[in-house]
Amino acid sequence: MGQSQPPQTWLQQAKQELKAGQYNQAETHLHQIVQEQPQSAEAYFNLGLSLHLQLELDEAIKTYEKAIQLDPTYDQPYTNMGLALIEANQLDEASTVFKQILSLPDRPEQPASIHTLAHYNLAIILKRQDKLDAARQEIQAALAITPNFAQAQTLQQMLT
């Protein structure tokens, strides 16, 4: 990272490193990027992703929080933070994050929209908490948005 490349090029390079599984290298570059661009929610999100992929969950969660603080409408950090919280077994906190996603505009995504994924992840959390009726309601909400979402269909079968 030097002055020879524009910051957006640095971010694209770090994203390529993440895709290639070069998480440490991406993390190093992303730390430099957030120093250069402390207002970049996208840079913080990608830094959080690099930490998350290295299972540095507490740091990843803090970094996702920073991305959300910088841009509360940027939905990707919410989803990833919720997943990191599930991995850290902080289920109540994860539920709160997935509920926040439902207040954001829905956005098409593959294999399902962000609202579908939020309902699906809430169902997983509720299942782990033995709140099966509430889990079924969340799966029904997910399938109402994306009827062909295979993972939700599978979870629905497990809950019946």
Side-chain angles (χ1 to χ4, degrees):
M1 311 282 120
Q3 296 302 327
S4 61
Q5 294 182 17
Q8 201 56 36
T9 304
W10 301 343
L11 190 55
Q12 293 308 321
Q13 179 182 342
K15 287 179 179 182
Q16 289 302 317
E17 291 165 350
L18 285 172
K19 283 183 182 174
Q22 301 167 332
Y23 307 136
N24 283 333
Q25 192 173 346
E27 179 187 349
T28 299
H29 289 149
L30 287 159
H31 275 293
Q32 292 172 335
I33 293 168
V34 298
Q35 284 182 332
E36 295 278 331
Q37 301 178 343
Q39 298 305 311
S40 173
E42 186 180 9
Y44 275 100
F45 165 71
N46 282 285
L47 176 57
L49 181 59
S50 71
L51 294 164
H52 192 164
L53 292 167
Q54 295 175 77
L55 299 179
E56 296 177 31
L57 298 178
D58 289 341
E59 283 304 308
I61 291 164
K62 289 177 193 168
T63 307
Y64 291 140
E65 285 174 339
K66 179 67 175 174
I68 291 167
Q69 179 186 12
L70 290 169
D71 184 356
T73 65
Y74 183 28
D75 58 58
Q76 287 180 300
Y78 290 92
T79 300
N80 284 43
M81 184 166 73
L83 295 172
L85 287 163
I86 289 174
E87 289 177 60
N89 206 32
Q90 297 177 34
L91 301 182
D92 290 337
E93 294 87 344
S95 288
T96 299
V97 171
F98 288 116
K99 288 174 185 171
Q100 287 174 321
I101 292 170
L102 295 172
S103 70
L104 297 171
D106 201 3
R107 180 175 56 81
E109 187 65 54
Q110 290 299 322
S113 77
I114 65 164
H115 283 191
T116 301
L117 294 173
H119 286 297
Y120 172 74
N121 284 305
L122 283 166
I124 289 172
I125 292 165
L126 291 162
K127 181 180 179 291
R128 287 189 185 181
Q129 295 173 328
D130 266 342
K131 298 175 182 174
L132 301 184
D133 286 339
R136 284 185 202 95
Q137 289 176 342
E138 291 296 339
I139 280 298
Q140 288 172 350
L143 290 171
I145 300 168
T146 310
N148 297 325
F149 183 36
Q151 287 120 313
Q153 291 171 340
T154 301
L155 184 55
Q156 184 179 41
Q157 290 172 347
M158 291 171 60
L159 291 170
T160 54

